[in-house]
């Protein structure tokens, strides 16, 4: 849609080709991000930009260190870093611990604290809550309220429209690189905003493609994997969309990684189309027709410096060459078919994938599973951090896969997504898959009760 590109222009990372900007009534044309920060504009990017080998303190102060006599002033640095973290309710965070050793959610807190350090006049937030827990999200909103009271302007990019409705005064909708709507948030209906973003009514956002459930193709019994996954049993049928809900850290990702043999099983077994694998490997899972989509596009899901074609064909390169050489023309032609089918917005299949938007990167990651081809799809947060239009396309794709008899397991933190897409939903709580029921027997409140451990187990309905 162009949101992130526009924000990169505002923050000095990109230069505008046309148009003009003003800040405080004066012409504004930052030379680079550092110049923008000096002028009072700070940016928190959707993709984390931390130096993972440096400490939390060093990351927060990077480029804005406290110094005295040419040396880093350590006491002053610690005080400033603590002050920034205190605004987010994390003043006790271990500042001397390396940033890479923290969870993604805590890394996001460090990133936000770095932006707050310079006391910006304008703070730009691109999907700041996509990796945060509910508690951290509430702390962030409280910090935003304090900044707003101090006169700080905030530009907030989010695909969680309920968040926008809660915190924003005004909204602007971008679609295909252009402004298509703007107005006062309090008088805007969410249905109206979704229609502007997608060109379709909300009721059409989750298409119900006709599909039938076949034989069991994935069976998991008593699966456990250190440190979070304690016990999970489930069965998924051909043509079924199976959703996994739960709080962050409940073990949903761990379950998918254990099924795909990325993490070792400490107990239990995984059976793929009736076949047991005593020593399963990810390569073996690919050979069995299982495809895995990581929740972490940047570090696990894609090779950002490589081409779209390289990313799509990564798991079956032997099909595109001989004697260790890749037939680039054959490879690009295969990739271009998926680019067209999934409506990936790019120049050509040879373009580096890191240049694409998050939504288009996600389509390419899914295209790899389709090209392989997989018959069991393990999708971990497949729509995290992408625009509503791309989400609608991925929802349609998932429905089409089920109609073709593929089995799809979807992990999602967005409950309307699970309720709109899935045939069956399982809820995880503290490392255990505690309830599995048909979608019709769930609602958001019931899912949250089970996810938080405040509902009795429905053991009579859990075995399928």
């Amino acid at each position: 849609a162009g949101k992130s590109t526009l924000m990169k222009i505002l923050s000095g990372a990109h230069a505008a080709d046309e148009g003009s900007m003003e800040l405080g009534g004066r012409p504004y044309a930052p030379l680079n991000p550092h110049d923008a920060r000096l002028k009072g504009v700070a940016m928190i990017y959707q993709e984390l930009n931390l130096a993972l080998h440096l400490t939390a303190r060093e990351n927060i102060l990077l480029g804005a260190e406290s110094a005295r006599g040419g040396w880093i002033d350590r006491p002053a640095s610690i005080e400033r870093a603590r002050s920034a973290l205190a605004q987010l309710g994390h003043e006790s965070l271990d500042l001397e611990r390396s940033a890479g050793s923290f969870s993604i959610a805590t890394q996001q807190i460090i990133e936000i604290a770095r932006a707050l350090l310079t006391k910006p006049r304008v703070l730009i937030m691109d999907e700041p809550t996509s990796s945060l827990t509910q508690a951290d999200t509430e702390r962030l909103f409280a910090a935003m309220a304090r900044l707003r009271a101090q006169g700080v302007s905030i530009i907030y990019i989010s695909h969680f429209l309920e968040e926008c409705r809660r915190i924003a005064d005004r909204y602007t909708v971008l679609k295909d690189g252009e402004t298509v709507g703007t107005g006062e948030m309090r008088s805007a209906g969410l249905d109206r905003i979704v229609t502007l973003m997608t060109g379709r009514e909300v009721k059409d956002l989750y298409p119900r493609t006709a599909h039938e459930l076949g034989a069991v193709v994935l069976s998991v019994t008593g699966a456990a994997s250190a440190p979070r996954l304690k016990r999970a049993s489930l069965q998924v049928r051909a043509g079924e969309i199976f959703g996994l809900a739960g709080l962050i850290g409940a073990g949903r990702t761990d379950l998918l990684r254990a099924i795909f043999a990325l993490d070792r099983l400490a107990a239990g077994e995984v059976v793929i189309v009736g076949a047991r694998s005593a020593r399963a490997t990810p390569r073996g899972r690919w050979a069995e027709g299982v495809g895995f989509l990581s929740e972490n596009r940047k570090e696990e899901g894609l090779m950002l410096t490589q081409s779209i074609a390289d990313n799509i064909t990564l798991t079956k390169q032997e099909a595109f060459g001989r004697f260790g050489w890749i037939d680039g023309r054959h490879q690009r032609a295969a990739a271009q078919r998926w680019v067209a089918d999934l409506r990936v917005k790019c120049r050509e299949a040879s373009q580096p994938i890191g240049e694409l938007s998050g939504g288009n990167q996600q389509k390419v990651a899914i295209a790899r599973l389709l090209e392989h081809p997989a018959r069991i799809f393990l999708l971990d947060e497949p729509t995290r951090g992408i625009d509503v239009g791309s989400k609608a396309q991925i929802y349609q794709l998932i429905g089409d896969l089920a109609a073709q008899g593929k089995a799809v397991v979807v992990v999602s933190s967005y409950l309307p997504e699970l309720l709109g897409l899935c045939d069956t939903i399982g809820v995880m709580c503290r490392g255990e898959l505690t309830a599995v029921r048909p979608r019709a027997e769930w609602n958001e409140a019931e899912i949250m009760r089970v996810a938080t451990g405040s509902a009795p187990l429905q053991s009579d309905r859990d075995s399928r």
Side-chain angles (χ1 to χ4, degrees):
K3 302 180 301 298
S4 296
T5 300
L6 175 59
M7 296 307 113
K8 288 175 182 177
I9 292 171
L10 297 183
S11 65
H14 285 180
D17 296 323
E18 298 179 17
S20 61
M21 299 183 286
E22 290 186 358
L23 180 64
R26 296 182 176 182
Y28 173 67
L31 301 175
N32 50 50
H34 181 65
D35 186 39
R37 290 181 74 179
L38 293 177
K39 289 179 166 69
V41 178
M43 173 89 187
I44 300 168
Y45 289 98
Q46 176 182 333
E47 302 287 356
L48 297 177
N49 285 280
L50 298 178
L52 298 180
H53 63 292
L54 298 181
T55 66
R57 170 180 58 82
E58 289 167 331
N59 271 280
I60 292 171
L61 293 160
L62 198 60
E65 293 85 353
S66 296
R68 184 169 54 186
W71 296 87
I72 296 295
D73 187 336
R74 185 181 175 84
S77 296
I78 292 174
E79 182 179 349
R80 290 174 64 212
R82 288 247 179 266
S83 176
L85 287 167
Q87 296 184 63
L88 301 169
H90 283 268
E91 58 272 18
S92 60
L93 187 125
D94 185 355
L95 287 173
E96 303 310 313
R97 182 174 159 186
S98 66
S101 68
F102 289 104
S103 68
I104 295 294
T106 303
Q107 289 178 23
Q108 182 75 292
I109 294 295
I110 295 170
E111 184 97 46
I112 295 169
R114 180 167 63 188
L116 296 179
L117 186 78
T118 56
K119 297 181 172 55
R121 299 165 63 187
V122 178
L123 179 60
I124 303 167
M125 297 183 169
D126 192 353
E127 293 286 348
T129 65
S130 61
S131 300
L132 297 186
T133 64
Q134 186 60 41
D136 282 334
T137 296
E138 293 299 327
R139 292 190 189 102
L140 175 61
F141 289 168
M144 290 171 62
R146 289 192 294 270
L147 291 169
R148 175 181 184 174
Q150 297 166 16
V152 176
S153 299
I154 298 173
I155 299 175
Y156 190 88
I157 300 174
S158 178
H159 301 116
F160 297 115
L161 300 186
E162 297 86 352
E163 288 183 359
C164 296
R165 187 65 180 273
R166 174 180 169 184
I167 63 173
D169 300 299
R170 293 184 297 118
Y171 73 90
T172 292
V173 177
L174 298 184
K175 184 174 187 293
D176 296 328
E178 296 183 356
T179 298
V180 295
T182 187
E184 299 289 329
M185 184 61 84
R186 63 170 175 258
S187 60
L190 295 186
D191 288 3
R192 160 72 175 160
I193 294 176
V194 170
T195 301
L196 286 170
M197 296 171 74
T198 64
R200 68 181 79 191
E201 300 292 332
V202 176
K203 60 183 175 61
D204 299 325
L205 194 57
Y206 302 104
R208 296 300 300 172
T209 307
H211 56 277
E212 296 181 1
L213 274 58
V216 173
V217 294
L218 169 63
S219 179
V220 180
T221 306
S225 178
R228 283 186 291 266
L229 182 61
K230 296 180 173 58
R231 181 177 177 81
S233 298
L234 59 87
Q235 291 185 334
V236 184
R237 301 178 183 276
E240 182 174 21
I241 305 173
F242 188 106
L244 281 173
L247 304 179
I248 292 176
R252 300 167 303 165
T253 292
D254 304 76
L255 175 55
L256 258 60
R257 292 177 65 89
I259 293 172
F260 196 65
L262 282 167
D263 292 342
R264 185 182 299 275
L265 281 176
E269 69 174 1
V270 175
V271 179
I272 307 294
V273 198
R276 291 171 170 81
S277 302
R279 299 184 65 180
T281 64
R283 181 184 290 272
R285 289 293 188 237
W286 278 114
E288 293 171 319
V290 183
F292 175 72
L293 180 77
S294 172
E295 66 172 338
N296 189 342
R297 278 195 306 269
K298 184 176 180 181
E299 295 181 9
E300 281 190 346
L302 297 168
M303 303 181 295
L304 295 179
T305 60
Q306 300 298 104
S307 71
I308 295 169
D310 285 337
N311 276 275
I312 289 177
T313 62
L314 180 63
T315 63
K316 53 174 294 187
Q317 290 187 334
E318 68 282 355
F320 297 98
R322 299 177 62 189
F323 310 118
W325 294 92
I326 299 293
D327 181 343
R329 186 171 61 178
H330 184 196
Q331 180 196 42
R332 288 190 296 274
Q336 193 61 46
R337 287 195 296 271
W338 291 117
V339 165
D341 287 350
L342 300 183
R343 289 175 283 175
V344 178
K345 292 184 179 178
C346 62
R347 294 192 303 273
E348 55 188 0
S350 59
Q351 181 179 356
I353 195 171
E355 296 178 358
L356 305 188
S357 70
N360 286 296
Q361 288 182 6
Q362 194 73 320
K363 292 178 192 177
V364 171
I366 294 174
R368 179 191 305 147
L369 278 60
L370 298 169
E371 170 64 25
H372 187 75
R375 54 180 170 174
I376 299 172
F377 289 73
L378 308 177
L379 308 180
D380 195 355
E381 300 284 3
T383 64
R384 170 177 286 170
I386 66 174
D387 64 274
V388 174
S390 294
K391 283 183 180 181
Q393 292 178 29
I394 289 176
Y395 297 153
Q396 182 65 60
L397 175 61
I398 290 172
D400 291 344
L401 290 172
Q404 296 165 21
K406 313 287 188 183
V408 185
V409 182
V410 180
V411 168
S412 178
S413 301
Y414 187 47
L415 300 187
E417 184 170 87
L418 292 178
L419 292 166
L421 274 180
C422 299
D423 303 300
T424 308
I425 298 175
V427 181
M428 298 198 67
C429 177
R430 302 185 184 96
E432 297 190 14
L433 184 55
T434 58
V436 176
R437 307 176 199 165
R439 178 196 57 186
E441 297 182 21
W442 290 108
N443 57 43
E444 291 190 38
E446 179 67 8
I447 290 175
M448 288 306 299
R449 277 194 291 270
V450 176
T452 56
S454 56
L457 298 184
Q458 305 291 326
S459 57
D460 57 322
R461 287 183 287 186
D462 292 347
S463 58
R464 305 177 63 238

